[in-house]
């Protein structure tokens, strides 16, 4: 799928604000790929498509995940905010014929992260957090880190997200903790 086709599909399916977020993630992902030696086209495509089913109903998302329960099936036991990520990958595989497993995994894990993330997975996870349209406490610190060190930026994002969830007494998906612990290890072995 070409990036122009993906953009058209996203424009048709998502409301204006979420469309602009998708373009922001796509462009940020493209820049991060250039900076860190990743595949720019795949980063831009995954970034454009990552939230494609964000506005499907919880029932629809749940049905999609139950139809194709992979290693992510356990997310149904956690926040419904997690569901659009694996369901998005199911959607783009079935509707756009995307079979590139790195792109599919980047979409599946864009919300939670996981341990042993690939370069593309880290790029999408980070781009989703720091794209120019984002404005929440601490985002600038992660933007600054992203200029210097991809792993440090991903670590900070995980730290801030977990801290935020804990402060609101919300559940934390185990793979998010695993991603955090993994990044601590990766930074230590630098
Ligand atoms: O879809 P977006 O709004 O662009 O961003 P996202 O896919 O990263 O969704 C983020 C939301 O998911 C945010 O409100 C935090 C929430 N969330 C709920 N439980 C968890 C979680 N995020 C992580 N990483 N881990 C969780 O367990
Ligand atoms: Fe998302
Ligand atoms: Fe997003």
């Amino acid at each position: 799928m070409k990036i122009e086709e993906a953009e058209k599909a996203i424009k048709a399916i998502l409301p204006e604000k979420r469309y602009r977020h998708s373009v922001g993630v796509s462009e940020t992902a493209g820049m991060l790929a250039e900076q860190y030696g990743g595949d720019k086209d795949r980063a831009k495509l995954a970034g454009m498509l990552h939230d494609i089913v964000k506005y499907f109903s919880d029932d629809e998302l749940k049905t999609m995940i139950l139809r194709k329960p992979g290693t992510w099936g356990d997310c149904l036991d956690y926040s419904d905010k997690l569901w659009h990520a694996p369901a998005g990958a199911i959607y783009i595989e079935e509707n756009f014929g995307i079979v590139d497993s790195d792109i599919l995994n980047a979409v599946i894990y864009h919300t939670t992260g996981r341990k042993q993330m690939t370069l593309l997975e880290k790029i999408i996870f980070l781009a989703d957090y720091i794209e120019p349209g984002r404005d929440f406490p601490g985002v600038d610190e992660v933007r600054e880190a992203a200029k210097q060190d991809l792993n440090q930026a991903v670590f900070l994002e995980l730290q801030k997200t977990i801290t935020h969830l804990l402060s609101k007494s919300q559940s934390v998906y185990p793979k998010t903790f695993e991603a955090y612990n993994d990044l601590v290890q990766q930074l230590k072995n630098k």
Side-chain angles (χ1 to χ4, degrees):
M1 185 180 218
K2 290 207 190 85
I3 188 70
E4 294 80 14
E5 287 174 74
E7 183 171 348
K8 232 189 233 174
I10 289 299
K11 195 169 183 143
I13 205 169
L14 290 178
E16 176 68 18
K17 191 163 177 249
R18 188 57 56 168
Y19 162 70
R20 274 190 269 122
H21 165 68
S22 306
V23 171
V25 174
S26 179
E27 281 170 2
T28 304
M31 289 191 289
L32 289 168
E34 226 159 51
Q35 186 184 346
Y36 290 107
D39 183 318
K40 192 175 176 182
D41 290 341
R42 286 151 88 224
K44 289 189 73 171
L45 186 60
M48 187 63 75
L49 296 173
H50 79 286
D51 273 339
I52 189 156
V53 298
K54 182 84 181 178
Y55 294 95
F56 283 27
S57 72
D58 283 350
D59 274 350
E60 281 175 288
L61 297 174
K62 193 172 191 171
T63 303
M64 289 170 80
I65 293 169
L66 286 173
R67 199 156 45 68
K68 266 198 112 183
T71 52
W72 54 83
D74 60 346
C75 77
L76 292 173
D77 299 330
Y78 296 86
S79 167
D80 52 19
K81 285 186 181 167
L82 307 180
W83 303 353
H84 72 288
I90 294 168
Y91 185 95
I92 63 174
E93 184 175 14
E94 293 183 346
N95 292 275
F96 303 153
I98 290 173
V99 292
D100 183 322
S101 61
D102 204 13
I103 292 180
L104 295 175
N105 283 325
V107 174
I108 291 169
Y109 298 107
H110 86 260
T111 304
T112 62
R114 63 165 171 170
K115 64 184 173 196
Q116 297 294 308
M117 280 192 275
T118 64
L119 176 60
L120 183 65
E121 288 173 40
K122 286 176 181 170
I123 284 173
I124 299 304
F125 183 72
L126 182 59
D128 189 27
Y129 199 80
I130 66 169
E131 64 95 357
R134 293 290 210 196
D135 181 21
F136 37 74
V139 69
D140 279 332
E141 193 191 337
V142 182
R143 286 189 179 118
E144 281 309 305
K147 292 178 189 164
Q148 309 291 329
D149 183 339
L150 182 69
N151 282 342
Q152 179 64 25
V154 172
F155 165 78
L156 279 176
E157 175 181 346
L158 285 161
Q159 185 183 49
K160 285 177 192 301
T161 300
I162 290 170
T163 304
H164 175 77
L165 291 167
L166 295 182
S167 78
K168 301 214 143 195
S169 304
Q170 288 180 26
S171 62
V172 181
Y173 185 54
K175 285 190 175 69
T176 303
F177 280 131
E178 288 177 9
Y180 172 83
N181 289 329
D182 186 46
L183 262 297
V184 170
Q185 209 55 40
Q186 290 195 37
L187 288 166
K188 228 187 246 173
N189 294 338
K190 223 176 18 179

